[in-house]
Amino acid sequence: MTGPHPFHVMAKPMGPRCNIDCAYCYYLEKEKLYPDEKRFRMSDAVLERYVRDLIAAGTRIGQREIAFAWQGGEPTMLGVDFFARAVALQKAHCPAGVAISNSFQTNGILLDDGWGAFLAREKFLVGISIDGPRPIHDRYRRDRAGRGTFDRVMAGLEVLKRHGVEYNILTTVHRENAIKGKEVYKFLKTLGTPHIQFIPIVERRAPSGGLAAAPQVDDDPSNVVSPWSVTPRAYGKFLCEVFDVWHRKDVGKIFVQFFENQVALWMGHPALLCVFAETCGNALAMEHNGDLFACDHFVYPEFRLGNILEAPLGDLAWSDKTEAFGNAKRDTLTAQCRACDFRFACNGGCPKHRILTSKDGEKGHNYFCESYTMFFRHAGDRLREIAAALGRFPRHGASNPHRG
């Protein structure tokens, strides 16, 4: 077993259940993992074990703050009372001198003043999903009756503003909005927070009536990715277009997660996002019943680490199986990726996206290689300048962004 080290858990207290039906959501299909489940609601027993174990694991390695992250599905479907119980358990199990933080990802539709008061009082950080102005947002983020959700999301956002809840914006980049980078970014800047995340969408088609397979290589991924998946070239152009505006007007004022992480990497710091880290395995996902998986993108039976009702959370997080999963990211890089001058800033991207073949015909190359290479060549000089201005110089891999 690997030694104790920090890890992060994305808890799914409502499992994959959601009150809307986004076309590109990769998690709704996870209901098929639990064919006999009726409620998809975390029990009090699982909740208490999770809270107790996460605090115990964190304090064991000397962490002074224990971070809880809640997602779904849609966690607000559980109601305020569930999260009030979670907070009460956190306070009951947390030792003196250790702080607790909570973050919460939502589509925003069920937020009301009751939610706003609770989230503000307990200092939750809320991520709210918005894909752009109404026509762009409503293209794929629709309810189960096929209606757009934009106006209801904006109403939820107003709740957060009214109650002074700290929030950020999560925007998926898909086939429709990738070609409108400036429009999307300009709109997001009007929403009242300087913190923005972009998440590219690439999903494999699921077989009819079945659960999509774990990520795997296909000789022609265009045959198996969904029609809403962003193309590598389009995502690269999106990043370049938004970066140009951000660099010209918003450095130090708007914090785009992708750009901020790249600045850190070009300064020689370790990756803050698992996507760009050399190894992974420290960003786990926990289902409603306590099943723990190696990653939110690998919630498949073969990547199940165990159940927290049967083994302590820390033991599962620090297991040989978890370590092997994480090291596989580094150990399965293609030769093209290992030789790339930008490896320090990318490390082959997320293993979920390794569905292409390399230039040499080697399987397991990242779908977004073209995107990242395009961006690094376009923005590398300016990333280096920002790194130098912050008082650090990039390590060896960052010296020549125009090669490769």
Side-chain angles (χ1 to χ4, degrees):
M1 179 181 293
T2 185
H5 58 270
F7 63 89
H8 174 81
V9 178
M10 184 181 292
K12 311 272 189 172
M14 195 67 183
R17 288 284 172 87
C18 190
N19 56 332
I20 63 175
D21 190 22
C22 300
Y24 53 63
C25 183
Y26 67 93
Y27 214 79
L28 295 178
E29 67 163 12
K30 303 305 179 184
E31 288 192 13
K32 299 185 181 76
L33 287 174
Y34 303 97
D36 299 323
E37 181 64 76
K38 304 299 183 185
R39 299 184 68 214
F40 283 98
R41 185 183 182 93
M42 184 177 286
S43 69
D44 288 344
V46 172
L47 177 62
E48 181 159 16
R49 182 68 61 87
Y50 171 54
V51 169
R52 186 196 69 188
D53 278 11
L54 189 63
I55 292 173
T59 54
R60 178 179 172 183
I61 59 175
Q63 289 182 322
R64 307 310 298 171
E65 179 176 319
I66 311 298
F68 287 81
W70 309 95
Q71 203 174 67
E74 176 49 46
T76 56
M77 292 174 67
L78 287 165
V80 171
D81 288 348
F82 174 88
F83 290 96
R85 291 198 302 277
V87 169
L89 288 167
Q90 291 167 353
K91 293 175 180 177
H93 287 286
C94 190
V98 175
I100 296 289
S101 65
N102 285 279
S103 60
F104 188 91
Q105 185 65 39
T106 178
N107 59 39
I109 290 176
L110 297 179
L111 295 177
D112 58 17
D113 286 329
W115 271 110
F118 170 77
L119 295 169
R121 181 174 67 250
E122 301 301 340
K123 297 181 172 59
F124 273 55
L125 170 63
V126 176
I128 187 165
S129 299
I130 303 172
D131 280 359
R134 181 183 286 104
I136 295 174
H137 178 91
D138 284 346
R139 177 64 180 88
Y140 293 125
R141 300 190 65 83
R142 309 183 76 84
D143 65 18
R144 296 186 180 278
R147 299 170 298 191
T149 59
F150 179 84
D151 289 338
R152 285 170 283 174
V153 175
M154 289 298 104
L157 180 60
E158 288 304 314
V159 169
L160 300 179
K161 293 179 179 179
R162 187 161 61 246
H163 288 271
V165 177
E166 186 179 359
Y167 65 93
N168 57 41
I169 304 297
L170 188 152
T171 298
T172 62
V173 184
H174 46 68
R175 191 71 59 92
E176 298 292 325
N177 66 359
I179 60 175
K180 301 176 181 178
K182 290 181 181 178
E183 179 183 352
V184 169
Y185 180 62
K186 181 178 179 180
F187 172 76
L188 297 178
K189 290 201 302 178
T190 69
L191 297 181
T193 175
H195 299 283
I196 300 169
Q197 300 179 51
F198 292 118
I199 307 295
I201 295 292
V202 55
E203 297 298 334
R204 295 174 62 86
R205 295 179 187 269
S208 180
L211 185 69
Q216 54 188 291
V217 177
D218 189 276
D219 289 334
D220 185 3
S222 64
N223 291 331
V224 292
V225 297
S226 65
W228 44 80
S229 295
V230 63
T231 66
R233 181 170 294 275
Y235 184 50
K237 289 182 176 179
F238 176 92
L239 291 173
C240 292
E241 187 173 300
V242 175
F243 180 83
D244 287 346
V245 179
W246 176 80
H247 183 263
R248 187 169 62 252
K249 297 181 177 181
D250 298 324
V251 174
K253 296 184 292 184
I254 300 294
F255 302 94
V256 178
Q257 186 187 54
F258 181 93
F259 303 154
E260 298 296 318
N261 275 266
Q262 283 302 317
V263 168
L265 284 163
W266 287 69
M267 291 175 68
H269 294 304
L272 302 176
L273 281 176
C274 59
V275 172
F276 301 120
E278 184 177 29
T279 61
C280 54
N282 296 323
L284 313 177
M286 190 184 73
E287 260 293 337
H288 66 290
N289 68 340
D291 282 347
L292 191 70
F293 293 86
C295 173
D296 178 51
H297 290 296
F298 286 82
V299 178
Y300 302 97
E302 60 265 43
F303 298 104
R304 181 180 179 272
L305 303 173
N307 188 287
I308 66 168
L309 294 179
E310 300 168 358
L313 174 60
D315 288 355
L316 298 175
W318 298 321
S319 68
D320 292 341
K321 185 174 182 179
T322 309
E323 183 177 25
F325 172 84
N327 288 341
K329 179 183 182 185
R330 174 196 62 212
D331 298 341
T332 58
L333 287 174
T334 61
Q336 178 184 336
C337 195
R338 291 195 303 271
C340 179
D341 288 323
F342 299 122
R343 177 179 170 180
F344 76 97
C346 172
N347 282 304
C350 180
K352 177 195 177 184
H353 300 145
R354 293 181 182 178
I355 60 174
L356 292 184
T357 55
S358 71
K359 293 177 181 178
D360 300 324
E362 189 177 358
K363 292 186 175 183
H365 202 67
N366 196 280
Y367 181 87
F368 290 115
C369 178
E370 180 183 4
S371 315
Y372 297 145
T373 301
M374 181 189 302
F375 174 76
F376 297 144
R377 287 174 174 162
H378 179 79
D381 286 342
R382 285 171 287 175
L383 290 170
R384 187 189 298 106
E385 289 170 1
I386 295 172
L390 291 173
R392 292 285 301 275
F393 292 91
R395 56 186 180 186
H396 58 276
S399 61
N400 190 350
H402 296 293
R403 289 184 58 201

